[in-house]
Amino acid sequence: MERRRIGPFSASALTLGCMNLSHAYGTPPDRGTAEALLRRALDSGVDFFDTAALYGFGSNETLVGEVLRPHRKRITLASKCGMTGVDGKKVIDGRPETILRTCDDSLKRLGTEVIDLYYLHRRDRQVPIEESVGALARLVEQGKIRAVGLSEVSAETIRRAHAEHPITAVQSEYSLWTRNPEIAVLETCRELGAAFVAFSPLARSFLTGKLTDPSTQLEDKDIRRQMPRFEAEAYAGNLKLLDGHKAMAAETGCTPAQLALAWVLARGDNVFALFGTKSIAHLDENLGADGLKLPPETISRLDQLINQNTVVGARYSAAIQTEIDTEEF
């Protein structure tokens, strides 16, 4: 499997996000299925796994830790702090004392002495970014984490953070239908030597072509039901883009999902595609994007077909948008 540099690590360019196995996308799979999926990813060459204290309010870290602990030396393990579950509710808290405590809790759940890449999950607007990153720097000094990352932040925040401690990676949503990182974050990462980890590279299943009717295919507790792009009128407009996407996939000799992943990986040698799934069949399909190189003409046609001007609907609801620090078109 193709490997790329992320700070001091060499890791698979196709990266598994483990959130779906415990959190946010309807009913999680049973424990046996989740364990089998993690092992299948590992056996298939994935060695970069992403979790967070928030996911399943800790249960996802426990799952990942128990399954992957025997293979700890083979993998790059990423987790996140700064957004956790408190009394059953999501709370953003970037205070240094909270970050330090969250890391200790995560280390216990993961069953490891050190986390390779530790992200600030969300910027806490009540706490200067320098203070939050200062706590992460302390964790590096203590040997509890190896590298510092940020999630869903602006270029300005990245630069302020990087002045406090080198930022190894920035994670943000990025796909054909979410282009916000192109405003400034991708270039900032290249300039500072940071990796860019693109989450939801399949547009939360839209670009797979398999989600045709969110009103019937998504469970009530699926987070996509609260996202404007998945509302009936907006999604009907977005579905019109899929025919062209599917046609280009057929021309390329791949599936729509593989085409979308290959597009993300083509954005730069420092870019990783972080996808999640509850299905082993979908995992196998996504990993089929490994080594797929798109001709420049195909990339150009994809750019023209699906972009911030052709997609209908906002990325997040107004309430959730207040939690995000990224630049907006």
Side-chain angles (χ1 to χ4, degrees):
M1 184 166 290
E2 181 183 356
R3 308 178 65 75
R4 296 184 175 185
R5 296 299 306 180
I6 180 165
F9 314 111
S10 172
S12 54
L14 289 168
T15 304
L16 186 66
C18 302
M19 180 176 74
N20 305 53
L21 303 179
S22 307
H23 192 85
Y25 286 86
T27 304
D30 61 70
R31 176 66 182 232
T33 299
E35 290 181 2
L37 190 143
L38 289 169
R39 292 194 181 96
R40 178 62 165 247
L42 187 69
D43 291 342
S44 299
V46 175
D47 59 8
F48 190 6
F49 293 85
D50 180 278
T51 181
L54 177 70
Y55 303 159
F57 295 170
S59 65
N60 194 251
E61 286 183 321
T62 299
L63 167 70
V64 170
E66 290 177 356
V67 176
L68 298 182
R69 192 176 307 147
H71 313 283
R72 182 66 185 89
K73 293 182 179 179
R74 292 175 51 192
I75 67 172
T76 299
L77 180 62
S79 193
K80 310 179 194 72
C81 62
M83 187 161 66
T84 57
V86 178
D87 297 329
K89 296 183 179 179
K90 179 182 69 178
V91 174
I92 295 175
D93 186 348
R95 292 175 297 172
E97 59 268 29
T98 303
I99 289 172
L100 297 176
R101 184 178 67 249
T102 301
C103 183
D104 286 340
D105 292 342
S106 292
L107 287 168
K108 291 176 184 177
R109 288 190 292 262
L110 290 165
T112 187
E113 295 180 351
V114 61
I115 298 169
D116 296 317
L117 175 61
Y118 203 44
Y119 294 95
L120 183 68
H121 206 158
R122 291 291 185 273
R123 176 187 172 187
D124 184 344
R125 298 182 186 276
Q126 306 304 312
V127 179
I129 189 65
E130 290 83 359
E131 292 186 15
S132 297
V133 173
L136 293 169
R138 218 173 313 160
L139 290 171
V140 173
E141 293 170 359
Q142 294 171 357
K144 294 181 178 180
I145 69 174
R146 291 193 170 105
V148 173
L150 301 174
S151 178
E152 290 280 53
V153 292
S154 66
E156 178 187 2
T157 298
I158 296 168
R159 292 183 186 282
R160 286 174 56 189
H162 191 75
E164 184 70 25
H165 186 278
I167 299 302
T168 292
V170 175
Q171 182 175 137
S172 198
E173 182 175 357
Y174 187 45
S175 68
L176 281 162
W177 87 339
T178 296
R179 301 297 195 95
N180 304 65
E182 294 176 0
I183 300 173
V185 167
L186 283 174
E187 180 56 36
T188 300
C189 286
R190 283 191 288 266
E191 180 183 330
L192 298 179
F196 181 84
V197 180
F199 76 76
S200 295
L202 298 174
R204 303 182 190 273
S205 196
F206 169 72
L207 291 170
T208 69
K210 298 179 175 73
L211 182 61
T212 56
D213 186 358
S215 67
T216 60
Q217 290 178 261
L218 300 183
E219 297 180 37
D220 290 343
K221 293 185 178 180
D222 192 303
I223 58 171
R224 289 169 289 186
R225 283 194 171 273
Q226 308 303 318
M227 295 177 175
R229 290 180 183 174
F230 290 89
E231 294 174 359
E233 185 175 347
Y235 205 74
N238 290 325
L239 282 175
K240 297 175 183 178
L241 303 173
L242 276 184
D243 287 343
H245 183 71
K246 290 178 179 178
M248 276 185 268
E251 291 174 16
T252 308
C254 65
T255 69
Q258 292 165 352
L259 183 69
L261 290 168
W263 178 89
V264 168
L265 293 178
R267 308 316 278 185
D269 292 339
N270 67 323
V271 177
F272 291 75
L274 171 66
F275 68 87
T277 183
K278 295 187 281 188
S279 162
I280 289 179
H282 292 167
L283 170 71
D284 291 344
E285 177 187 351
N286 294 346
L287 296 182
D290 179 50
L292 178 60
K293 305 299 181 184
L294 302 181
E297 181 199 10
T298 300
I299 293 173
S300 177
R301 289 166 60 198
L302 284 168
D303 285 336
Q304 293 172 22
L305 176 67
I306 306 175
N307 57 62
Q308 69 275 11
N309 297 315
T310 62
V311 170
V312 182
R315 179 161 71 115
Y316 287 123
S317 67
I320 297 298
Q321 187 60 44
T322 63
E323 302 174 357
I324 308 302
D325 182 44
T326 54
E327 292 87 355
E328 301 297 320
F329 286 105

